[in-house]
Amino acid sequence: MSSLSALCKKISGILLTAGIVTSVPGHATEITADYGLAPEFQQVQGWMNSPPLNMAHLRGKVVLIDFWTYTCINCLHTLPYVKQWHDRYRQQGLVVIGVHTPEFPEEKDTANLQAAIQRLDVRFPVAQDNDYATWNAYRNRYWPALYLINQQGHIVYQHFGEGNYAQTESMIEQLLSRNPKSH
């Protein structure tokens, strides 16, 4: 490896570890970030596909929070990946939770959200966050936004917008590999 390549790799690692960037093309990323304890779900107007959930009861699980809204084209592009991860990894301990935070007034209507969940075949739990309380607790600013939470309840990975699907899946697999093996 040339000294320039080694320097680039070292700088990439520093930027990833510091959380300044979340990915570097061609750089396999280990989970080293800790963005702190995941906030509790706040003032949820309703839960679809699940009874009410809370972070305390999810300890010991790997949790993927997906902030989305059903009219956002970027969210709709990301949704097939999120659904696939739910289907592929739920038996291994992954809990996917959609936090539906509406961008437009009609998205606040529970019947409209339920119809969208059915039309889009969303089978994982969805929290209705009409007042942006959970959104604000996470200090989120983007649709879609993914937050990966480890077994101890800490946010260890975040991604905003589309893309980085392989990296996100790799992070999910890394966390799941830390689960105790059942006999």
Side-chain angles (χ1 to χ4, degrees):
M1 179 181 316
S2 74
S3 59
L4 181 59
S5 294
L7 178 62
C8 288
K9 184 174 182 179
K10 185 172 185 160
I11 290 170
S12 297
I14 291 168
L15 293 174
L16 287 163
T17 302
I20 295 168
V21 298
T22 58
S23 67
V24 175
H27 188 283
T29 306
E30 294 290 323
I31 294 179
T32 57
D34 186 339
Y35 299 100
L37 201 58
E40 191 55 71
F41 300 103
Q42 305 285 320
Q43 302 170 18
V44 172
Q45 283 72 35
W47 285 89
M48 274 48 73
N49 299 336
S50 172
L53 299 172
N54 65 62
M55 294 309 298
H57 287 107
L58 293 168
R59 292 276 157 62
K61 304 269 188 193
V62 175
V63 180
L64 179 68
I65 304 287
D66 176 24
F67 282 91
W68 70 294
T69 186
Y70 66 81
T71 63
C72 167
I73 190 65
N74 305 99
C75 297
L76 295 176
H77 289 165
T78 301
L79 189 58
Y81 295 93
V82 176
K83 288 168 43 178
Q84 182 180 40
W85 296 327
H86 167 72
D87 291 341
R88 183 177 295 153
Y89 298 112
R90 71 174 175 229
Q91 296 301 321
Q92 297 174 44
L94 177 67
V95 178
V96 174
I97 300 171
V99 177
H100 185 271
T101 309
E103 186 174 9
F104 301 109
E106 65 273 9
E107 295 171 318
K108 291 183 176 186
D109 184 272
T110 301
N112 289 346
L113 175 56
Q114 288 171 328
I117 287 170
Q118 184 174 359
R119 182 179 70 253
L120 297 168
D121 193 31
V122 173
R123 294 183 300 257
F124 50 82
V126 176
Q128 189 174 10
D129 186 34
N130 285 351
D131 296 329
Y132 285 61
T134 300
W135 170 284
N136 289 330
Y138 276 78
R139 297 183 178 149
N140 190 48
R141 299 291 172 256
Y142 310 101
W143 291 282
L146 299 174
Y147 294 87
L148 190 57
I149 301 163
N150 70 12
Q151 293 88 333
Q152 293 74 42
H154 287 251
I155 300 169
V156 294
Y157 174 78
Q158 52 193 15
H159 178 74
F160 309 111
E162 295 182 53
N164 282 357
Y165 303 117
Q167 179 184 1
T168 302
E169 186 166 10
S170 172
M171 297 296 186
I172 291 168
E173 290 173 345
Q174 283 181 53
L175 286 179
L176 290 173
S177 73
R178 298 175 185 176
N179 282 346
K181 304 293 183 225
S182 59
H183 298 285

